[in-house]
Amino acid sequence: MTPDMSLRDHAREAIRDEVAKHAWTLFAAHGYEATTVDQIADAAGMSRRTFFRYFAGKDELVLERLVESGNLIATALEQRPADEAAWPALRAAFSATIRLQEQHHEKSRPLQLMLRAEPALRATIETRRRLWVERLAPLTAARLPSTDAADRSGTRAAAVTASAVACLEAAQIAWAENPGTSLGELLDDAMGAVAPLR
């Protein structure tokens, strides 16, 4: 237990995680719009009122899980060798989420399609993209070659990071739409089309 988290905090996080698991299972089976808060609450063994003690709504539940994926990638990026260039380091860091998606492809594929197809989730996807770039760009910046003029605005790091995230999204869409393909290979193709991975 971390010093800044109480037993109550841990219990709350465990409940939120359990609700999220039930929600994503329902989303994979029925889609986002067709899944109601009542169904999620029922699957998690709680009342609708209790659900709203933990989440403001379905969109917060989705965004939280997407942010968690970004944090997983950031941790993997931090652990890459310090002398590894930004582009291949980002590709390697994406492997953390790719492994999970391929291991659970029966849920991950329909969820990827849902994220792109549901109009109600467009703002959530944009927020996810912004948060991922904000989280990953400082880690990317440390791996870019230095220039005479300091890049105080972080433009180069933001551009490289956003490009890598776009490649991941393109690969995920292709993978979701084409069962039997390899997400890792599709990502290699996408990122390799932008810049060499080695």
Side-chain angles (χ1 to χ4, degrees):
M1 184 184 303
T2 57
D4 58 338
M5 285 190 73
S6 68
L7 188 58
R8 181 177 294 177
D9 292 330
H10 277 279
R12 180 177 177 80
E13 287 306 306
I15 291 170
R16 284 172 63 90
D17 187 58
E18 187 66 20
V19 173
K21 286 177 184 174
H22 288 292
W24 284 92
T25 297
L26 289 167
F27 293 155
H30 308 294
Y32 179 80
E33 283 291 348
T35 301
T36 67
V37 167
D38 288 333
Q39 288 172 322
I40 296 169
D42 186 59
M46 62 175 52
S47 68
R48 176 187 177 89
R49 183 176 178 182
T50 302
F51 173 90
F52 284 111
R53 279 194 225 144
Y54 292 95
F55 296 97
K58 292 191 297 181
D59 55 341
E60 180 193 344
L61 194 153
V62 171
L63 180 60
E64 182 173 277
R65 186 51 59 96
L66 296 175
V67 169
E68 285 175 9
S69 296
N71 289 336
L72 179 69
I73 294 166
T75 298
L77 184 56
E78 288 172 331
Q79 295 172 349
R80 298 301 303 166
D83 60 349
E84 188 173 36
W87 198 246
L90 282 161
R91 169 58 188 91
F94 286 150
S95 293
T97 191
I98 285 173
R99 277 192 298 272
L100 288 174
Q101 289 181 57
E102 290 191 320
Q103 285 171 7
H104 305 286
H105 60 88
E106 69 288 343
K107 287 184 182 178
S108 295
R109 276 198 166 94
L111 288 172
Q112 285 298 325
L113 293 173
M114 176 197 81
L115 289 172
R116 271 64 190 184
E118 298 278 6
L121 288 175
R122 284 178 188 153
T124 301
I125 292 298
E126 285 302 317
T127 301
R128 183 280 302 265
R129 188 176 293 123
R130 177 179 55 79
L131 292 173
W132 276 27
V133 172
E134 288 176 359
R135 178 77 171 88
L136 297 173
L139 303 174
T140 301
R143 298 175 178 278
L144 293 174
S146 59
T147 59
D148 292 336
D151 184 19
R152 292 186 181 87
S153 66
T155 304
R156 291 187 308 140
V160 170
T161 305
S163 297
V165 170
C167 288
L168 176 61
E169 291 175 347
Q172 288 172 325
I173 293 169
W175 176 72
E177 292 176 343
N178 298 280
T181 56
S182 162
L183 179 52
E185 290 177 5
L186 288 166
L187 181 56
D188 286 340
D189 288 345
M191 293 187 72
V194 177
L197 286 168
R198 289 179 177 78

